[in-house]
Amino acid sequence: MKNGLVLEGGAMRGLFTAGVIDVFMENGIEFDRIVGVSAGACFGCNYKSGQPGRAIRYNTRFAKDKRYCSVRSLITTGDMFGAKFCYHDIPEELDLFDYEHFASSPTEFFVVCTDIETGKAVYHRCDKGTGDDLEWIRASASMPLASRIVRIGERKLLDGGISDSIPLRFMEKTGIEKNIVVLTQPRDYRKQPAKSTKLIRMTMRKYPAFVKAAADRYKMYNAELRYVRKAEEAGRAFVIAPAEKLPVGHVEHDPDVMREVYRIGRNTALGMIDEVLAFLGIDTN
C-alpha cells in the first residue's frame, strides 16, 4: 500500500511543517510521494534531498537579510522573497541543497501551482530539483501581490494555494492510499473571504479566471478541509495540525519567533509519532 505526505502552505507558518517533517526524517519515515503547496513545496523539498534541519537553519540565518525577504526586494525585483537570492544563492552557495540526493531518492515530489489563465491547479513532478524544477517550486510559493508571475514554457503561474491548498484529493486520485496531511492552521480554522480580493481584481484584471479563483479560495479551502476530515474518519488520512493559531504571520524577521514555530511543529510530531508509525504500518520492533 502506497503512502503519501501532503504539505499545506502558509508562508512562515510553514516552519511548523519544517519541524514536523524533520522529526519524520529523524525517525526514518519514508514516503512514496510528497506533494507540497507554496511553503510546503519550498520546505518539503528538503525531505526528498534528505536534509533535516536545513529549512530552519537558513530561515533563521537570513531572517533579517533584505535580499531574502523585504519590501525593498519587492520594490526593486517585483518579489518580496528575492527570487535569485532564495532560489539560487542560498541553495547553490550559502546553504547547499543536496541536488544529487534529491535526484536519486525514490520518493516522488510534486508541487502545486495555479495557472493564472485558467485559474486551475497544475501539478508538476520535480525529479532533479534544478532548472525548471526550481521555477515550479518558486511559482508554487509566489503569492499574488507579493510576487511576479512566473513563466515556464507557455504557462503563467502563481501560488498553488489559490487553486488547491490541501491536495489530498490529487494524491488519492493518483493511487496513494494512505496520506499524512500536515496543516498549518488549527483543526477548527475556517477561511474567510480575503480582504485582498479587490486589489487582486485590480492588478490581475487581465486574468479573470485567476481573479475568480482567488475570490472563491475560501470556499475551496473549506471544502477541502471537509474532504480531509471525511478521509480521516474513513482511515485514509492522518492529520497533523497545530493545537492553536501559530504565533507568526506571512512574513517574519525575528529568528526567535521562527524557532518557536519550528519547535511547536517538532513537539506536535513527537507527541504523535507512535500514531503516525501505526497509521503507516511501520513496525518499530
Side-chain angles (χ1 to χ4, degrees), residues 185-245:
Q185 295 281 15
R187 282 176 171 270
D188 61 356
Y189 173 79
R190 296 297 178 270
K191 190 173 286 295
Q192 302 299 317
K195 296 178 181 179
S196 59
T197 299
K198 289 184 179 179
L199 191 53
I200 290 175
R201 186 178 295 118
M202 290 172 56
T203 58
M204 300 292 290
R205 58 185 178 276
K206 290 173 58 179
Y207 306 101
F210 180 83
V211 170
K212 185 177 188 307
D216 291 343
R217 182 185 183 186
Y218 74 101
K219 299 177 185 176
M220 174 274 296
Y221 185 90
N222 293 336
E224 291 194 334
L225 283 178
R226 292 192 293 272
Y227 186 84
V228 168
R229 185 167 60 250
K230 289 180 180 178
E232 185 179 30
E233 291 170 353
R236 306 192 315 269
F238 186 97
V239 177
I240 297 179
E244 55 190 29
K245 184 177 180 180

CSV table of all heavy atoms in Angstrom, one decimal, residues 185-245:
chain,number,residue,atom,x,y,z
A,185,GLN,N,-2.8,25.5,10.1
A,185,GLN,CA,-3.9,26.1,10.9
A,185,GLN,C,-4.5,25.1,11.8
A,185,GLN,O,-4.5,23.9,11.5
A,185,GLN,CB,-4.9,26.7,10.0
A,185,GLN,CG,-4.5,27.8,9.1
A,185,GLN,CD,-4.3,29.2,9.8
A,185,GLN,OE1,-4.3,29.3,11.0
A,185,GLN,NE2,-4.2,30.3,9.0
A,186,PRO,N,-5.0,25.5,13.0
A,186,PRO,CA,-5.7,24.6,13.9
A,186,PRO,C,-6.9,23.9,13.2
A,186,PRO,O,-7.4,24.4,12.2
A,186,PRO,CB,-6.2,25.5,15.0
A,186,PRO,CG,-5.3,26.7,14.9
A,186,PRO,CD,-5.0,26.9,13.5
A,187,ARG,N,-7.3,22.8,13.7
A,187,ARG,CA,-8.3,22.0,13.1
A,187,ARG,C,-9.6,22.7,13.0
A,187,ARG,O,-10.4,22.5,12.1
A,187,ARG,CB,-8.6,20.7,14.0
A,187,ARG,CG,-7.5,19.6,13.8
A,187,ARG,CD,-7.8,18.5,14.7
A,187,ARG,NE,-7.0,17.3,14.4
A,187,ARG,CZ,-7.3,16.4,13.6
A,187,ARG,NH1,-8.5,16.4,13.0
A,187,ARG,NH2,-6.5,15.3,13.3
A,188,ASP,N,-9.9,23.7,13.9
A,188,ASP,CA,-11.2,24.4,13.9
A,188,ASP,C,-11.2,25.6,13.0
A,188,ASP,O,-12.1,26.4,12.9
A,188,ASP,CB,-11.7,24.7,15.3
A,188,ASP,CG,-10.7,25.6,16.0
A,188,ASP,OD1,-9.6,25.9,15.5
A,188,ASP,OD2,-11.0,26.1,17.1
A,189,TYR,N,-10.0,25.8,12.3
A,189,TYR,CA,-9.9,27.0,11.5
A,189,TYR,C,-10.8,26.9,10.3
A,189,TYR,O,-10.9,25.8,9.6
A,189,TYR,CB,-8.5,27.2,11.0
A,189,TYR,CG,-8.3,28.3,10.0
A,189,TYR,CD1,-8.2,29.6,10.4
A,189,TYR,CD2,-8.1,28.0,8.7
A,189,TYR,CE1,-8.0,30.6,9.5
A,189,TYR,CE2,-7.9,29.0,7.7
A,189,TYR,CZ,-7.9,30.3,8.1
A,189,TYR,OH,-7.7,31.3,7.2
A,190,ARG,N,-11.4,28.0,9.9
A,190,ARG,CA,-12.2,28.1,8.6
A,190,ARG,C,-11.8,29.4,8.0
A,190,ARG,O,-11.9,30.5,8.6
A,190,ARG,CB,-13.7,28.0,8.9
A,190,ARG,CG,-14.2,26.7,9.5
A,190,ARG,CD,-14.0,25.5,8.6
A,190,ARG,NE,-14.4,24.3,9.2
A,190,ARG,CZ,-13.6,23.5,9.9
A,190,ARG,NH1,-12.4,23.8,10.2
A,190,ARG,NH2,-14.1,22.4,10.4
A,191,LYS,N,-11.5,29.3,6.7
A,191,LYS,CA,-11.1,30.5,6.0
A,191,LYS,C,-12.2,31.4,5.7
A,191,LYS,O,-13.3,31.0,5.3
A,191,LYS,CB,-10.3,30.1,4.7
A,191,LYS,CG,-9.6,31.3,4.0
A,191,LYS,CD,-8.8,30.8,2.8
A,191,LYS,CE,-7.5,30.1,3.3
A,191,LYS,NZ,-6.6,31.0,4.0
A,192,GLN,N,-12.0,32.7,5.7
A,192,GLN,CA,-13.0,33.8,5.4
A,192,GLN,C,-12.6,34.4,4.1
A,192,GLN,O,-11.5,34.3,3.6
A,192,GLN,CB,-13.0,34.8,6.5
A,192,GLN,CG,-13.4,34.2,7.9
A,192,GLN,CD,-14.7,33.6,8.0
A,192,GLN,OE1,-15.7,34.1,7.4
A,192,GLN,NE2,-14.8,32.4,8.6
A,193,PRO,N,-13.6,35.1,3.5
A,193,PRO,CA,-13.2,35.8,2.2
A,193,PRO,C,-12.0,36.8,2.4
A,193,PRO,O,-11.9,37.4,3.5
A,193,PRO,CB,-14.5,36.6,1.9
A,193,PRO,CG,-15.6,35.8,2.5
A,193,PRO,CD,-15.0,35.2,3.8
A,194,ALA,N,-11.1,36.8,1.5
A,194,ALA,CA,-9.9,37.5,1.6
A,194,ALA,C,-10.1,39.0,1.5
A,194,ALA,O,-10.9,39.5,0.6
A,194,ALA,CB,-8.9,37.1,0.6
A,195,LYS,N,-9.5,39.8,2.3
A,195,LYS,CA,-9.6,41.3,2.2
A,195,LYS,C,-8.8,41.8,1.0
A,195,LYS,O,-9.1,42.9,0.5
A,195,LYS,CB,-9.0,41.9,3.5
A,195,LYS,CG,-9.7,41.6,4.7
A,195,LYS,CD,-9.1,42.2,6.0
A,195,LYS,CE,-9.8,41.8,7.2
A,195,LYS,NZ,-9.2,42.4,8.4
A,196,SER,N,-7.9,41.0,0.4
A,196,SER,CA,-7.1,41.4,-0.7
A,196,SER,C,-7.8,41.2,-2.1
A,196,SER,O,-7.3,41.6,-3.1
A,196,SER,CB,-5.8,40.7,-0.8
A,196,SER,OG,-6.0,39.3,-0.9
A,197,THR,N,-9.1,40.7,-2.1
A,197,THR,CA,-9.7,40.4,-3.3
A,197,THR,C,-9.9,41.6,-4.3
A,197,THR,O,-9.6,41.5,-5.5
A,197,THR,CB,-11.1,39.8,-3.0
A,197,THR,OG1,-11.0,38.6,-2.2
A,197,THR,CG2,-11.9,39.5,-4.3
A,198,LYS,N,-10.2,42.7,-3.7
A,198,LYS,CA,-10.4,43.9,-4.6
A,198,LYS,C,-9.1,44.3,-5.3
A,198,LYS,O,-9.0,44.6,-6.5
A,198,LYS,CB,-11.0,45.1,-3.8
A,198,LYS,CG,-12.4,44.9,-3.4
A,198,LYS,CD,-12.9,46.1,-2.7
A,198,LYS,CE,-14.4,46.0,-2.3
A,198,LYS,NZ,-14.9,47.2,-1.6
A,199,LEU,N,-8.0,44.2,-4.5
A,199,LEU,CA,-6.7,44.6,-5.0
A,199,LEU,C,-6.2,43.6,-6.1
A,199,LEU,O,-5.7,44.0,-7.1
A,199,LEU,CB,-5.7,44.7,-3.9
A,199,LEU,CG,-4.3,45.3,-4.2
A,199,LEU,CD1,-4.5,46.7,-4.9
A,199,LEU,CD2,-3.5,45.5,-3.0
A,200,ILE,N,-6.5,42.3,-5.8
A,200,ILE,CA,-6.2,41.3,-6.8
A,200,ILE,C,-7.0,41.5,-8.1
A,200,ILE,O,-6.5,41.4,-9.2
A,200,ILE,CB,-6.4,39.9,-6.2
A,200,ILE,CG1,-5.4,39.6,-5.1
A,200,ILE,CG2,-6.3,38.8,-7.3
A,200,ILE,CD1,-5.6,38.3,-4.4
A,201,ARG,N,-8.2,41.9,-7.9
A,201,ARG,CA,-9.1,42.1,-9.1
A,201,ARG,C,-8.5,43.3,-9.9
A,201,ARG,O,-8.6,43.2,-11.2
A,201,ARG,CB,-10.5,42.4,-8.6
A,201,ARG,CG,-11.5,42.6,-9.8
A,201,ARG,CD,-12.9,42.8,-9.3
A,201,ARG,NE,-13.4,41.7,-8.5
A,201,ARG,CZ,-13.8,41.7,-7.3
A,201,ARG,NH1,-13.7,42.8,-6.6
A,201,ARG,NH2,-14.2,40.6,-6.7
A,202,MET,N,-8.0,44.3,-9.3
A,202,MET,CA,-7.4,45.4,-10.0
A,202,MET,C,-6.1,45.1,-10.7
A,202,MET,O,-5.9,45.4,-11.9
A,202,MET,CB,-7.2,46.6,-9.0
A,202,MET,CG,-8.4,47.2,-8.5
A,202,MET,SD,-8.0,48.4,-7.2
A,202,MET,CE,-6.9,49.5,-8.0
A,203,THR,N,-5.2,44.4,-10.0
A,203,THR,CA,-3.9,44.1,-10.5
A,203,THR,C,-3.9,42.9,-11.5
A,203,THR,O,-3.0,42.9,-12.4
A,203,THR,CB,-2.9,43.8,-9.4
A,203,THR,OG1,-3.4,42.7,-8.6
A,203,THR,CG2,-2.8,45.1,-8.5
A,204,MET,N,-4.9,42.0,-11.4
A,204,MET,CA,-4.9,40.8,-12.2
A,204,MET,C,-6.1,40.8,-13.2
A,204,MET,O,-6.5,39.8,-13.6
A,204,MET,CB,-4.9,39.6,-11.3
A,204,MET,CG,-3.7,39.4,-10.4
A,204,MET,SD,-2.2,39.1,-11.3
A,204,MET,CE,-2.5,37.4,-11.9
A,205,ARG,N,-6.6,42.0,-13.5
A,205,ARG,CA,-7.8,42.1,-14.3
A,205,ARG,C,-7.7,41.4,-15.7
A,205,ARG,O,-8.7,41.1,-16.3
A,205,ARG,CB,-8.3,43.5,-14.5
A,205,ARG,CG,-7.3,44.5,-15.1
A,205,ARG,CD,-7.8,45.9,-15.1
A,205,ARG,NE,-6.8,46.8,-15.6
A,205,ARG,CZ,-5.8,47.3,-15.0
A,205,ARG,NH1,-5.6,47.0,-13.7
A,205,ARG,NH2,-4.9,48.2,-15.5
A,206,LYS,N,-6.5,41.3,-16.2
A,206,LYS,CA,-6.3,40.6,-17.5
A,206,LYS,C,-6.5,39.1,-17.4
A,206,LYS,O,-6.6,38.4,-18.4
A,206,LYS,CB,-4.9,40.8,-18.0
A,206,LYS,CG,-4.6,42.2,-18.4
A,206,LYS,CD,-3.1,42.4,-18.7
A,206,LYS,CE,-2.6,41.5,-19.8
A,206,LYS,NZ,-1.2,41.7,-20.1
A,207,TYR,N,-6.6,38.6,-16.1
A,207,TYR,CA,-6.8,37.1,-15.9
A,207,TYR,C,-8.0,36.9,-15.0
A,207,TYR,O,-7.9,36.5,-13.9
A,207,TYR,CB,-5.5,36.6,-15.2
A,207,TYR,CG,-4.2,36.9,-16.0
A,207,TYR,CD1,-3.4,38.0,-15.6
A,207,TYR,CD2,-3.9,36.2,-17.1
A,207,TYR,CE1,-2.3,38.3,-16.3
A,207,TYR,CE2,-2.7,36.5,-17.8
A,207,TYR,CZ,-1.9,37.6,-17.4
A,207,TYR,OH,-0.8,37.9,-18.1
A,208,PRO,N,-9.2,37.0,-15.6
A,208,PRO,CA,-10.4,36.9,-14.8
A,208,PRO,C,-10.6,35.5,-14.2
A,208,PRO,O,-11.2,35.4,-13.1
A,208,PRO,CB,-11.5,37.1,-15.9
A,208,PRO,CG,-10.9,36.9,-17.2
A,208,PRO,CD,-9.5,37.3,-17.0
A,209,ALA,N,-10.1,34.4,-14.8
A,209,ALA,CA,-10.3,33.1,-14.2
A,209,ALA,C,-9.5,33.0,-12.9
A,209,ALA,O,-9.9,32.4,-11.9
A,209,ALA,CB,-9.8,32.0,-15.2
A,210,PHE,N,-8.3,33.7,-12.9
A,210,PHE,CA,-7.5,33.7,-11.7
A,210,PHE,C,-8.1,34.6,-10.6
A,210,PHE,O,-8.2,34.2,-9.4
A,210,PHE,CB,-6.1,34.2,-12.0
A,210,PHE,CG,-5.2,34.3,-10.7
A,210,PHE,CD1,-4.5,33.2,-10.3
A,210,PHE,CD2,-5.0,35.5,-10.0
A,210,PHE,CE1,-3.7,33.2,-9.2
A,210,PHE,CE2,-4.2,35.5,-8.9
A,210,PHE,CZ,-3.6,34.4,-8.5
A,211,VAL,N,-8.7,35.7,-11.0
A,211,VAL,CA,-9.4,36.6,-10.1
A,211,VAL,C,-10.5,35.8,-9.4
A,211,VAL,O,-10.7,35.9,-8.2
A,211,VAL,CB,-9.9,37.8,-10.8
A,211,VAL,CG1,-10.8,38.7,-9.9
A,211,VAL,CG2,-8.7,38.7,-11.2
A,212,LYS,N,-11.3,35.1,-10.2
A,212,LYS,CA,-12.4,34.3,-9.6
A,212,LYS,C,-11.9,33.3,-8.7
A,212,LYS,O,-12.5,33.1,-7.6
A,212,LYS,CB,-13.2,33.7,-10.7
A,212,LYS,CG,-14.5,33.0,-10.2
A,212,LYS,CD,-15.3,32.4,-11.3
A,212,LYS,CE,-16.7,31.9,-10.8
A,212,LYS,NZ,-16.5,31.0,-9.7
A,213,ALA,N,-10.8,32.6,-9.0
A,213,ALA,CA,-10.3,31.5,-8.2
A,213,ALA,C,-9.8,32.1,-6.8
A,213,ALA,O,-10.0,31.6,-5.8
A,213,ALA,CB,-9.1,30.8,-8.9
A,214,ALA,N,-9.2,33.3,-6.9
A,214,ALA,CA,-8.7,34.0,-5.7
A,214,ALA,C,-9.9,34.4,-4.8
A,214,ALA,O,-9.9,34.3,-3.6
A,214,ALA,CB,-7.9,35.2,-6.1
A,215,ALA,N,-11.0,34.9,-5.5
A,215,ALA,CA,-12.1,35.3,-4.7
A,215,ALA,C,-12.8,34.2,-4.0
A,215,ALA,O,-13.4,34.3,-2.9
A,215,ALA,CB,-13.1,36.1,-5.6
A,216,ASP,N,-12.8,33.0,-4.7
A,216,ASP,CA,-13.5,31.8,-4.2
A,216,ASP,C,-12.6,30.9,-3.4
A,216,ASP,O,-13.0,29.8,-3.0
A,216,ASP,CB,-14.1,31.0,-5.4
A,216,ASP,CG,-15.2,31.7,-6.1
A,216,ASP,OD1,-15.8,32.6,-5.5
A,216,ASP,OD2,-15.5,31.3,-7.2
A,217,ARG,N,-11.4,31.3,-3.1
A,217,ARG,CA,-10.5,30.5,-2.5
A,217,ARG,C,-11.0,30.0,-1.1
A,217,ARG,O,-10.8,28.8,-0.8
A,217,ARG,CB,-9.1,31.2,-2.3
A,217,ARG,CG,-8.1,30.3,-1.6
A,217,ARG,CD,-6.8,31.0,-1.3
A,217,ARG,NE,-5.8,30.1,-0.7
A,217,ARG,CZ,-4.6,30.5,-0.2
A,217,ARG,NH1,-4.3,31.8,-0.2
A,217,ARG,NH2,-3.8,29.6,0.3
A,218,TYR,N,-11.6,30.8,-0.4
A,218,TYR,CA,-12.1,30.4,0.9
A,218,TYR,C,-13.1,29.3,0.8
A,218,TYR,O,-13.1,28.4,1.7
A,218,TYR,CB,-12.7,31.6,1.7
A,218,TYR,CG,-14.1,32.1,1.2
A,218,TYR,CD1,-15.2,31.7,1.9
A,218,TYR,CD2,-14.2,32.9,0.1
A,218,TYR,CE1,-16.5,32.2,1.5
A,218,TYR,CE2,-15.4,33.3,-0.3
A,218,TYR,CZ,-16.6,33.0,0.4
A,218,TYR,OH,-17.8,33.4,0.0
A,219,LYS,N,-13.9,29.3,-0.2
A,219,LYS,CA,-14.9,28.2,-0.4
A,219,LYS,C,-14.2,26.9,-0.7
A,219,LYS,O,-14.5,25.8,-0.2
A,219,LYS,CB,-15.8,28.5,-1.5
A,219,LYS,CG,-16.7,29.8,-1.3
A,219,LYS,CD,-17.5,30.1,-2.5
A,219,LYS,CE,-18.3,31.4,-2.4
A,219,LYS,NZ,-19.1,31.7,-3.7
A,220,MET,N,-13.2,27.0,-1.6
A,220,MET,CA,-12.4,25.8,-2.0
A,220,MET,C,-11.7,25.3,-0.8
A,220,MET,O,-11.7,24.0,-0.5
A,220,MET,CB,-11.4,26.2,-3.1
A,220,MET,CG,-10.4,25.1,-3.5
A,220,MET,SD,-8.9,25.1,-2.4
A,220,MET,CE,-8.2,26.7,-2.8
A,221,TYR,N,-11.1,26.1,0.0
A,221,TYR,CA,-10.3,25.7,1.2
A,221,TYR,C,-11.1,25.0,2.2
A,221,TYR,O,-10.8,23.9,2.7
A,221,TYR,CB,-9.6,26.9,1.8
A,221,TYR,CG,-8.7,26.6,2.9
A,221,TYR,CD1,-7.3,26.3,2.7
A,221,TYR,CD2,-9.1,26.5,4.2
A,221,TYR,CE1,-6.5,26.0,3.7
A,221,TYR,CE2,-8.3,26.2,5.3
A,221,TYR,CZ,-7.0,25.9,5.0
A,221,TYR,OH,-6.1,25.6,6.1
A,222,ASN,N,-12.3,25.6,2.5
A,222,ASN,CA,-13.2,25.0,3.5
A,222,ASN,C,-13.7,23.7,3.0
A,222,ASN,O,-13.9,22.7,3.8
A,222,ASN,CB,-14.3,26.0,3.9
A,222,ASN,CG,-13.7,27.2,4.6
A,222,ASN,OD1,-12.6,27.1,5.2
A,222,ASN,ND2,-14.4,28.3,4.5
A,223,ALA,N,-14.0,23.6,1.7
A,223,ALA,CA,-14.5,22.3,1.1
A,223,ALA,C,-13.4,21.2,1.2
A,223,ALA,O,-13.6,20.0,1.5
A,223,ALA,CB,-14.9,22.5,-0.3
A,224,GLU,N,-12.1,21.6,1.0
A,224,GLU,CA,-11.0,20.7,1.2
A,224,GLU,C,-10.8,20.2,2.6
A,224,GLU,O,-10.5,19.1,2.9
A,224,GLU,CB,-9.7,21.3,0.6
A,224,GLU,CG,-9.8,21.5,-0.9
A,224,GLU,CD,-8.4,21.7,-1.5
A,224,GLU,OE1,-7.5,22.3,-0.9
A,224,GLU,OE2,-8.3,21.4,-2.7
A,225,LEU,N,-11.1,21.1,3.6
A,225,LEU,CA,-11.0,20.7,5.0
A,225,LEU,C,-12.0,19.7,5.3
A,225,LEU,O,-11.8,18.7,6.0
A,225,LEU,CB,-11.2,21.9,5.9
A,225,LEU,CG,-10.1,22.9,6.1
A,225,LEU,CD1,-10.5,24.1,6.9
A,225,LEU,CD2,-8.8,22.2,6.7
A,226,ARG,N,-13.2,19.8,4.7
A,226,ARG,CA,-14.3,18.8,4.9
A,226,ARG,C,-13.9,17.5,4.3
A,226,ARG,O,-14.1,16.4,4.9
A,226,ARG,CB,-15.6,19.3,4.3
A,226,ARG,CG,-16.2,20.5,5.1
A,226,ARG,CD,-17.6,20.8,4.6
A,226,ARG,NE,-17.7,21.2,3.2
A,226,ARG,CZ,-17.6,22.5,2.9
A,226,ARG,NH1,-17.5,23.5,3.8
A,226,ARG,NH2,-17.8,22.8,1.6
A,227,TYR,N,-13.3,17.5,3.1
A,227,TYR,CA,-12.8,16.3,2.5
A,227,TYR,C,-11.7,15.6,3.3
A,227,TYR,O,-11.7,14.4,3.5
A,227,TYR,CB,-12.3,16.6,1.1
A,227,TYR,CG,-11.9,15.4,0.3
A,227,TYR,CD1,-12.8,14.7,-0.4
A,227,TYR,CD2,-10.6,14.9,0.3
A,227,TYR,CE1,-12.5,13.6,-1.2
A,227,TYR,CE2,-10.2,13.8,-0.4
A,227,TYR,CZ,-11.2,13.1,-1.1
A,227,TYR,OH,-10.9,12.0,-1.8
A,228,VAL,N,-10.8,16.4,3.9
A,228,VAL,CA,-9.8,15.8,4.7
A,228,VAL,C,-10.4,15.2,5.9
A,228,VAL,O,-10.0,14.1,6.3
A,228,VAL,CB,-8.8,16.9,5.1
A,228,VAL,CG1,-7.8,16.4,6.2
A,228,VAL,CG2,-7.9,17.4,3.9
A,229,ARG,N,-11.3,15.8,6.5
A,229,ARG,CA,-12.0,15.3,7.7
A,229,ARG,C,-12.7,14.0,7.4
A,229,ARG,O,-12.5,13.0,8.2
A,229,ARG,CB,-13.0,16.3,8.3
A,229,ARG,CG,-13.6,15.8,9.6
A,229,ARG,CD,-14.4,16.9,10.3
A,229,ARG,NE,-15.5,17.4,9.5
A,229,ARG,CZ,-15.5,18.6,8.9
A,229,ARG,NH1,-14.5,19.5,9.1
A,229,ARG,NH2,-16.5,19.0,8.2
A,230,LYS,N,-13.3,13.9,6.3
A,230,LYS,CA,-14.0,12.6,5.9
A,230,LYS,C,-13.0,11.5,5.6
A,230,LYS,O,-13.2,10.4,6.0
A,230,LYS,CB,-14.9,12.9,4.7
A,230,LYS,CG,-16.1,13.7,5.0
A,230,LYS,CD,-17.0,13.9,3.7
A,230,LYS,CE,-18.2,14.7,4.0
A,230,LYS,NZ,-19.0,14.9,2.8
A,231,ALA,N,-11.9,11.9,5.0
A,231,ALA,CA,-10.8,10.9,4.7
A,231,ALA,C,-10.2,10.4,6.0
A,231,ALA,O,-9.9,9.2,6.1
A,231,ALA,CB,-9.8,11.5,3.8
A,232,GLU,N,-10.1,11.3,7.0
A,232,GLU,CA,-9.5,10.9,8.3
A,232,GLU,C,-10.5,10.0,9.0
A,232,GLU,O,-10.1,8.9,9.5
A,232,GLU,CB,-9.3,12.2,9.1
A,232,GLU,CG,-8.6,11.9,10.4
A,232,GLU,CD,-8.4,13.1,11.2
A,232,GLU,OE1,-9.2,14.1,11.1
A,232,GLU,OE2,-7.4,13.2,12.0
A,233,GLU,N,-11.8,10.3,8.9
A,233,GLU,CA,-12.8,9.4,9.6
A,233,GLU,C,-12.8,8.0,8.9
A,233,GLU,O,-13.1,7.0,9.6
A,233,GLU,CB,-14.1,10.1,9.5
A,233,GLU,CG,-14.3,11.3,10.4
A,233,GLU,CD,-15.5,12.1,10.1
A,233,GLU,OE1,-16.3,11.7,9.1
A,233,GLU,OE2,-15.8,13.1,10.8
A,234,ALA,N,-12.5,8.0,7.6
A,234,ALA,CA,-12.5,6.7,6.9
A,234,ALA,C,-11.2,5.9,7.0
A,234,ALA,O,-11.1,4.8,6.5
A,234,ALA,CB,-12.8,7.0,5.4
A,235,GLY,N,-10.3,6.5,7.7
A,235,GLY,CA,-9.0,5.9,7.9
A,235,GLY,C,-8.0,6.0,6.8
A,235,GLY,O,-7.0,5.3,6.8
A,236,ARG,N,-8.3,6.9,5.8
A,236,ARG,CA,-7.4,7.1,4.7
A,236,ARG,C,-6.4,8.2,4.9
A,236,ARG,O,-5.4,8.3,4.2
A,236,ARG,CB,-8.2,7.4,3.4
A,236,ARG,CG,-9.3,6.4,3.0
A,236,ARG,CD,-9.8,6.7,1.6
A,236,ARG,NE,-10.0,8.1,1.3
A,236,ARG,CZ,-11.2,8.7,1.5
A,236,ARG,NH1,-12.2,8.1,2.1
A,236,ARG,NH2,-11.3,10.0,1.2
A,237,ALA,N,-6.6,9.0,5.9
A,237,ALA,CA,-5.7,10.1,6.2
A,237,ALA,C,-5.4,10.3,7.7
A,237,ALA,O,-6.3,9.9,8.5
A,237,ALA,CB,-6.3,11.4,5.6
A,238,PHE,N,-4.3,10.8,8.0
A,238,PHE,CA,-3.9,11.1,9.3
A,238,PHE,C,-3.5,12.6,9.3
A,238,PHE,O,-2.6,13.0,8.6
A,238,PHE,CB,-2.7,10.2,9.8
A,238,PHE,CG,-2.4,10.4,11.2
A,238,PHE,CD1,-2.9,9.5,12.2
A,238,PHE,CD2,-1.5,11.4,11.6
A,238,PHE,CE1,-2.5,9.6,13.5
A,238,PHE,CE2,-1.2,11.6,13.0
A,238,PHE,CZ,-1.7,10.7,13.9
A,239,VAL,N,-4.1,13.4,10.2
A,239,VAL,CA,-3.9,14.8,10.2
A,239,VAL,C,-3.0,15.3,11.3
A,239,VAL,O,-3.2,14.9,12.5
A,239,VAL,CB,-5.3,15.5,10.2
A,239,VAL,CG1,-5.1,17.1,10.2
A,239,VAL,CG2,-6.1,15.2,9.0
A,240,ILE,N,-2.1,16.1,11.0
A,240,ILE,CA,-1.2,16.8,12.0
A,240,ILE,C,-1.5,18.3,11.8
A,240,ILE,O,-1.3,18.8,10.7
A,240,ILE,CB,0.2,16.4,11.8
A,240,ILE,CG1,0.5,14.9,12.1
A,240,ILE,CG2,1.1,17.2,12.8
A,240,ILE,CD1,1.9,14.5,11.9
A,241,ALA,N,-1.9,18.9,12.9
A,241,ALA,CA,-2.1,20.4,12.8
A,241,ALA,C,-1.8,21.0,14.2
A,241,ALA,O,-1.8,20.3,15.2
A,241,ALA,CB,-3.6,20.6,12.6
A,242,PRO,N,-1.4,22.3,14.2
A,242,PRO,CA,-1.1,23.0,15.4
A,242,PRO,C,-2.4,23.0,16.3
A,242,PRO,O,-3.5,23.1,15.8
A,242,PRO,CB,-0.7,24.4,15.0
A,242,PRO,CG,-1.3,24.6,13.7
A,242,PRO,CD,-1.3,23.2,13.0
A,243,ALA,N,-2.2,22.9,17.6
A,243,ALA,CA,-3.3,22.9,18.6
A,243,ALA,C,-4.0,24.3,18.6
A,243,ALA,O,-5.2,24.4,18.9
A,243,ALA,CB,-2.8,22.5,19.9
A,244,GLU,N,-3.3,25.3,18.3
A,244,GLU,CA,-3.8,26.7,18.3
A,244,GLU,C,-3.1,27.5,17.3
A,244,GLU,O,-2.1,27.1,16.7
A,244,GLU,CB,-3.7,27.3,19.7
A,244,GLU,CG,-2.3,27.4,20.2
A,244,GLU,CD,-2.2,27.8,21.7
A,244,GLU,OE1,-3.2,27.6,22.4
A,244,GLU,OE2,-1.2,28.4,22.1
A,245,LYS,N,-3.6,28.7,17.0
A,245,LYS,CA,-3.0,29.6,16.0
A,245,LYS,C,-1.6,29.8,16.2
A,245,LYS,O,-1.2,30.1,17.4
A,245,LYS,CB,-3.8,30.9,15.9
A,245,LYS,CG,-3.3,31.8,14.8
A,245,LYS,CD,-4.1,33.1,14.8
A,245,LYS,CE,-3.6,34.0,13.7
A,245,LYS,NZ,-4.4,35.3,13.6
